[in-house]
Amino acid sequence: YYLYQGQCPEIDGVDDLKEFRLTQEAFRLLGFSDRDQQNILKIFSGILHLGNVEILPGSSGKGDSESSSISPDDEAILTMSELLEIEAEQIRKWLVSRKIVTARETYTKPMNAESVREFPYFVSRIFCLHFSYFSGDFRSRCFVQVHLL
């Protein structure tokens, strides 16, 4: 979905392979290993596949507008879970539910399809899973780079 909204996956005058190699070189200049680059690209690819996840309204029967679900066979979820190395069932569960913790109890509350489809919500859920690794590693590399100059 995110890649083809403009109906044209190619841009005149842009060499994707050349641009990709320039991106890889920029990562190398910042001190990212090939493995780090692969992990970053897997995260971004997972997020792009997230845009293809089909959110189904209702999960508990007819007229249920307060919940939503994702098919166990949804190819985008399966690809995303493989890329991000997270169990597909866990992704399916937590993309359509939220956890509410009070002083005494913890509740799992379903979310309606409209709420789940909001892109910022999707992205925040995925980045919460991986951001600490990426941001901490990136900040430490930049800090070292600056002080070595």
Side-chain angles (χ1 to χ4, degrees):
Y1 174 79
Y2 299 120
L3 294 176
Y4 297 107
Q5 286 186 48
Q7 305 294 317
C8 183
E10 295 182 20
I11 301 171
D12 290 336
V14 175
D15 182 343
D16 289 334
L17 182 57
K18 178 182 174 187
E19 295 298 324
F20 182 69
R21 288 187 176 143
L22 288 171
T23 301
Q24 288 178 306
E25 184 57 30
F27 275 128
R28 277 190 211 92
L29 289 173
L30 287 171
F32 287 90
S33 69
D34 289 342
R35 183 174 181 212
D36 290 337
Q37 290 180 49
Q38 183 178 15
N39 287 334
I40 291 166
L41 293 172
K42 284 170 66 173
I43 292 168
F44 291 143
S45 295
I47 291 169
L48 289 173
H49 281 281
L50 182 59
N52 293 328
V53 173
E54 184 179 1
I55 307 300
L56 306 170
S59 62
S60 61
K62 294 181 181 178
D64 180 6
S65 63
E66 296 301 314
S67 66
S68 57
S69 64
I70 300 168
S71 168
D73 300 324
D74 188 299
E75 287 185 39
I77 281 287
L78 298 174
T79 301
M80 188 177 97
S81 72
E82 185 178 333
L83 287 166
L84 299 177
E85 300 175 14
I86 302 171
E87 293 178 30
E89 183 58 34
Q90 290 297 310
I91 294 173
R92 286 180 55 248
K93 176 182 178 180
W94 292 111
L95 284 177
V96 297
S97 306
R98 65 179 169 203
K99 184 186 262 187
I100 300 171
V101 180
T102 67
R104 295 183 182 161
E105 296 182 79
T106 300
Y107 301 93
T108 302
K109 184 177 188 309
M111 295 172 48
N112 65 33
E114 185 177 317
S115 295
V116 176
R117 287 186 187 114
E118 293 176 5
F119 182 71
Y121 178 80
F122 268 78
V123 173
S124 69
R125 301 292 282 195
I126 297 304
F127 273 113
C128 283
L129 298 171
H130 290 285
F131 188 74
S132 61
Y133 162 77
F134 180 70
S135 66
D137 195 46
F138 181 74
R139 276 187 268 139
S140 67
R141 289 174 191 278
C142 290
F143 181 77
V144 169
Q145 294 283 336
V146 169
H147 289 295
L148 289 176
L149 297 175

